[in-house]
């Protein structure tokens, strides 16, 4: 792996260049990914970003790095519309549903974990919460104030963007010029607490009705959204670390502010490589909670949705996502998912055949070349679509060997088998699924039996039993649909 390790190139959003990846500490990689704000169900767009970074994490581990993967949970401080004023997203949901804010947090954190698990994502090594790191955030505000780069106003503390920019480079990540930013914002009305409209909150004074608040040197309040990631990444990965990721829409202002905060507090640039996953679109528009243009993973797995109208296995959806480069946009449609389903089946058929391939004295194919093509694709900024194209070359070869149209030596067969398994399962994170598209094979066996019994009841015109079975299954979130061809089922 040493050789492969040195070849990895990452497209660094900070420089806009593909750079050879060199971690700050030999053999160790610090990876931080912005996590969800847990006030509603994660949608498929959110999932795409988290699946992209799961693949990045998996590949770094495959290359032999010891990776500390930190992904936070935003459970306070994220205000509506990502704005500087307004209600906390979690507090608002709690108010509307008459719940404790921490009940909202718990409910959607569990949902987030369950969904990512169904997509076969690996959990991060540390999953810190904003509310669990209030002290660290207060300390960071103090450090920035000590440098003279933040000021207090009416119990809130703001980052002084223009002062920072006398020596700093606010706009470096999103390639925005401070002059343009200033002219693009409304001017302050004199009542404003801020010195400049560009200044952003590090700490906000809490109004009496605000529920989630903590004491601080500036009075009772809560941290600004951008601060939590700076405080937690510094705590767990150090003042400077290797890779910071998130969706493209976080580049500005969230990540731009993180760079400014980290640099102001420590005098060092916090991150070496910034990576941004591109947006999943639906009907050509960004999938987003705020516009309602969303599809929930649960709705797609069960088929209970009007957008696609059919059920797809989470692993097929994952494969579909892997067929696009993480930095390209990707549009969601039934046709694209059907194509992914076919491709996935073809690939898995080949993987299944690998074990029992016949061996010969000579190889008619260049297995080393094929494997290095796969590595070259991944080393070229995690290019999974090109990797998958090479895996289809391998699938074709496997088919030919199994039909006697090509040959492999024992050692080539072993090499091929080891590499294909690593790329398909360890790196792309796929897994074999049952033909009925359901995740649990034992459930499938049981369901066959249950539906057979229900069919018998129907044949005997025992409608009470047939309906009781259907209703009980519905309680267990299993939907049965009757059609001329017989009954089918799907699980939410
Ligand atoms: P949020 O919970 O809204 O802060 O989002 C969690 C993550 O999902 C962030 O990294 C966002 O950038 C990302 N995200 C939001 N919408 C999409 C989308 N349509 N496609 C891909 N990623 C998204
Ligand atoms: Zn963040």
């Amino acid at each position: 792996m040493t050789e492969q390790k040195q070849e990895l190139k990452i497209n660094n959003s900070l420089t806009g260049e593909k750079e050879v990846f060199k971690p700050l500490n030999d053999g160790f990689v610090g990876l931080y990914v912005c996590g969800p704000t847990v006030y509603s169900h994660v949608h498929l767009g959110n999932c795409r970003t988290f699946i992209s970074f799961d693949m990045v994490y998996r590949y770094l581990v495959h290359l032999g790095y010891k990776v500390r993967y930190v992904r936070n949970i935003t459970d306070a401080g994220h205000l509506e519309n990502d704005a500087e004023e307004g209600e906390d997203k979690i507090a608002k949901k709690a108010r509307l549903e008459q719940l404790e804010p921490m009940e909202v947090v718990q409910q959607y954190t569990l949902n987030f974990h369950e969904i990512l698990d169904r997509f076969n994502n690996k959990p991060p090594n540390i999953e810190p919460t904003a509310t669990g790191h209030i002290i660290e955030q207060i300390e960071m505000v103090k450090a920035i104030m000590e440098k003279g780069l933040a000021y207090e106003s009416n119990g809130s503390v703001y980052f002084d963007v223009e002062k920072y920019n006398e020596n700093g480079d606010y706009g470096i990540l999103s390639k925005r010029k401070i002059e343009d930013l200033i002219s693009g914002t409304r001017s302050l009305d004199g009542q404003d607490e801020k010195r400049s409209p560009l200044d952003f909150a590090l700490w906000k004074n809490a109004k009496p009705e605000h529920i989630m608040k903590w004491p601080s040197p500036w009075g009772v309040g809560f941290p600004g959204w951008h601060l939590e990631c700076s405080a937690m990444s510094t705590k767990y990965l150090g003042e400077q670390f290797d890779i910071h990721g998130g969706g493209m829409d976080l580049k500005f202002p969230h990540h731009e502010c993180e760079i400014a905060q980290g640099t102001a507090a420590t005098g060092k640039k916090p991150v070496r490589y910034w990576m941004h996953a591109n947006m999943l679109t639906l009907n050509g528009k960004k999938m987003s909670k705020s516009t309602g243009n969303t599809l929930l993973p649960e709705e797609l797995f069960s088929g209970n949705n009007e957008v696609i109208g059919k059920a797809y296995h989470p692993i097929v959806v994952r494969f579909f996502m892997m067929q696009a480069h993480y930095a390209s946009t990707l549009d969601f449609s039934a046709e694209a998912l059907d194509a992914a389903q076919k491709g996935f089946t073809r690939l898995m058929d080949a993987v299944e055949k690998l074990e029992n391939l016949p061996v010969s004295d000579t190889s008619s194919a260049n297995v080393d070349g094929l494997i290095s093509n796969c590595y070259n694709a991944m080393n070229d900024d995690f290019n999974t679509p090109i990797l998958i194209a090479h895996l289809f070359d391998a699938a074709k070869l496997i088919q030919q060997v199994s039909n006697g149209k090509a040959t492999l030596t024992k050692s080539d067969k072993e090499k091929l088998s080891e590499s294909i398994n690593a790329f398909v399962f360890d790196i792309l994170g796929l897994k074999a699924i049952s033909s009925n598209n359901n995740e649990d094979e034992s459930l499938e066996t049981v369901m066959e039996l249950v539906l057979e019994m229900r069919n018998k009841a129907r044949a005997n015109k025992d409608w009470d039993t047939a309906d009781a079975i259907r209703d009980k299954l519905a309680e267990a979130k299993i939907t049965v649909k009757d059609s001329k061809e017989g009954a089918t089922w799907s699980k939410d």
Side-chain angles (χ1 to χ4, degrees):
M1 265 339 124
T2 335
E3 191 190 310
Q4 300 297 349
K5 246 180 172 173
Q6 284 154 2
E7 308 258 306
L8 174 62
K9 288 202 187 85
I10 298 184
N11 190 0
N12 190 352
S13 310
L14 194 62
T15 56
E17 310 261 339
K18 269 188 202 165
E19 295 173 18
V20 174
F21 177 63
K22 281 208 191 74
L24 291 161
N25 297 305
D26 216 18
F28 174 86
V29 179
L31 169 66
Y32 187 94
V33 175
C34 289
T37 307
V38 282
Y39 72 106
S40 66
H41 289 102
V42 276
H43 59 65
L44 281 160
N46 304 134
C47 294
R48 180 186 187 201
T49 290
F50 298 122
I51 293 171
S52 296
F53 286 102
D54 181 60
M55 173 277 293
V56 167
Y57 169 58
R58 284 165 172 274
Y59 190 55
L60 291 167
V61 170
H62 174 81
L63 289 181
Y65 286 114
K66 186 168 167 17
V67 185
R68 184 178 296 155
Y69 173 20
V70 183
R71 189 185 61 213
N72 67 303
I73 293 280
T74 297
D75 59 352
H78 197 171
L79 304 186
E80 274 186 286
N81 307 320
D82 300 349
E84 287 283 302
E85 296 292 336
E87 205 171 355
D88 182 298
K89 293 187 184 197
I90 287 155
K92 180 175 179 190
K93 185 78 170 205
R95 178 172 61 76
L96 294 175
E97 308 220 334
Q98 295 188 310
L99 294 169
E100 272 295 316
M102 281 299 132
E103 279 182 283
V104 173
V105 167
Q106 176 74 351
Q107 180 181 342
Y108 294 113
T109 303
L110 289 176
N111 167 260
F112 172 63
H113 288 160
E114 188 205 318
I115 296 296
L116 288 197
D117 190 47
R118 288 173 83 176
F119 278 123
N120 206 24
N121 264 27
K122 288 190 180 292
N125 302 103
I126 306 178
E127 194 169 47
T129 59
T131 56
H133 295 77
I134 299 293
I135 291 171
E136 287 81 354
Q137 295 180 76
I138 290 176
E139 289 306 309
M140 194 154 198
V141 178
K142 284 194 209 157
I144 299 172
M145 287 180 96
E146 273 162 27
K147 300 278 165 57
L149 295 172
Y151 57 90
E152 186 187 347
S153 177
N154 288 338
S156 295
V157 181
Y158 292 98
F159 190 93
D160 192 334
V161 174
E162 286 181 44
K163 181 98 180 281
Y164 168 79
N165 227 42
E166 287 168 11
N167 298 308
D169 40 21
Y170 190 78
I172 187 174
L173 179 67
S174 54
K175 317 279 177 276
R176 290 168 203 233
K177 287 207 178 76
I178 195 154
E179 305 79 47
D180 300 340
L181 284 170
I182 293 171
S183 64
T185 45
R186 69 178 170 89
S187 57
L188 299 178
D189 58 9
Q191 300 292 313
D192 210 300
E193 292 173 346
K194 297 191 211 175
R195 290 180 188 162
S196 153
L198 290 192
D199 295 352
F200 57 91
L202 298 174
W203 186 263
K204 287 285 282 182
N205 173 35
K207 304 218 169 68
E209 65 275 17
H210 198 98
I211 341 180
M212 302 169 85
K213 53 194 172 192
W214 295 265
S216 81
W218 316 285
V220 175
F222 57 94
W225 171 41
H226 313 306
L227 190 63
E228 62 171 279
C229 291
S230 289
M232 296 190 281
S233 62
T234 309
K235 173 159 177 153
Y236 296 111
L237 298 172
E239 291 178 350
Q240 284 189 300
F241 60 95
D242 299 297
I243 305 177
H244 192 316
M248 202 73 98
D249 57 344
L250 295 187
K251 232 186 209 183
F252 186 87
H254 188 55
H255 291 161
E256 195 71 68
C257 294
E258 273 191 52
I259 295 179
Q261 290 166 161
T263 312
T266 70
K268 297 173 194 153
K269 287 271 163 275
V271 177
R272 262 296 273 123
Y273 304 84
W274 281 94
M275 288 181 71
H276 290 96
N278 215 326
M279 296 293 109
L280 185 70
T281 58
L282 184 62
N283 303 318
K285 286 195 212 93
K286 178 188 165 188
M287 207 178 269
S288 152
K289 280 172 212 170
S290 52
T291 58
N293 186 40
T294 49
L295 185 58
L296 297 183
E298 299 85 319
E299 296 170 336
L300 187 64
F301 304 159
S302 68
N304 291 336
N305 68 82
E306 283 170 12
V307 188
I308 304 280
K310 235 171 107 180
Y312 292 90
H313 193 286
I315 297 299
V316 171
V317 182
R318 184 178 176 112
F319 181 72
F320 161 74
M321 292 185 182
M322 289 289 130
Q323 280 185 307
H325 187 256
Y326 76 86
S328 313
T329 53
L330 174 63
D331 195 53
F332 216 76
S333 68
E335 298 76 57
L337 281 166
D338 284 341
Q341 170 108 47
K342 285 202 188 102
F344 175 76
T345 308
R346 189 149 60 91
L347 186 59
M348 293 320 254
D349 284 349
V351 173
E352 221 180 284
K353 285 210 175 87
L354 255 171
E355 279 302 299
N356 301 318
L357 283 186
V359 291
S360 308
D361 294 338
T362 54
S363 281
S364 63
N366 178 0
V367 170
D368 287 334
L370 217 161
I371 296 170
S372 77
N373 285 344
C374 293
Y375 276 108
N376 290 344
M378 284 306 285
N379 283 338
D380 184 17
D381 192 29
F382 308 92
N383 201 327
T384 53
I386 302 288
L387 166 67
I388 290 172
H390 293 306
L391 291 176
F392 280 131
D393 291 342
K396 201 160 141 198
L397 171 64
I398 292 164
Q399 205 59 47
Q400 287 170 341
V401 175
S402 108
N403 294 342
K405 290 188 183 134
T407 57
L408 287 179
T409 60
K410 185 163 180 289
S411 99
D412 269 354
K413 177 188 153 181
E414 281 166 6
K415 250 193 272 179
L416 186 68
S417 178
E418 194 187 326
S419 304
I420 299 291
N421 277 299
F423 282 111
V424 170
F425 300 112
D426 303 345
I427 298 167
L428 290 176
L430 305 174
K431 58 183 186 185
I433 62 174
S434 70
S435 54
N436 192 18
N437 247 352
N438 280 295
E439 290 165 75
D440 182 348
E441 290 199 35
S442 56
L443 176 65
E444 194 167 314
T445 317
V446 174
M447 280 306 297
E448 253 174 49
L449 187 70
V450 173
L451 289 186
E452 205 178 291
M453 287 164 67
R454 184 167 172 271
N455 278 343
K456 275 199 186 133
R458 280 164 64 91
N460 294 334
K461 300 207 174 0
D462 178 1
W463 309 118
D464 287 350
T465 306
D467 289 350
I469 292 176
R470 194 198 49 215
D471 296 347
K472 280 279 169 208
L473 287 172
E475 275 172 32
K477 300 212 157 103
I478 293 174
T479 314
V480 175
K481 281 194 188 131
D482 292 306
S483 71
K484 279 191 214 126
E485 289 80 37
T488 56
W489 63 279
S490 58
K491 191 169 187 297
D492 277 8

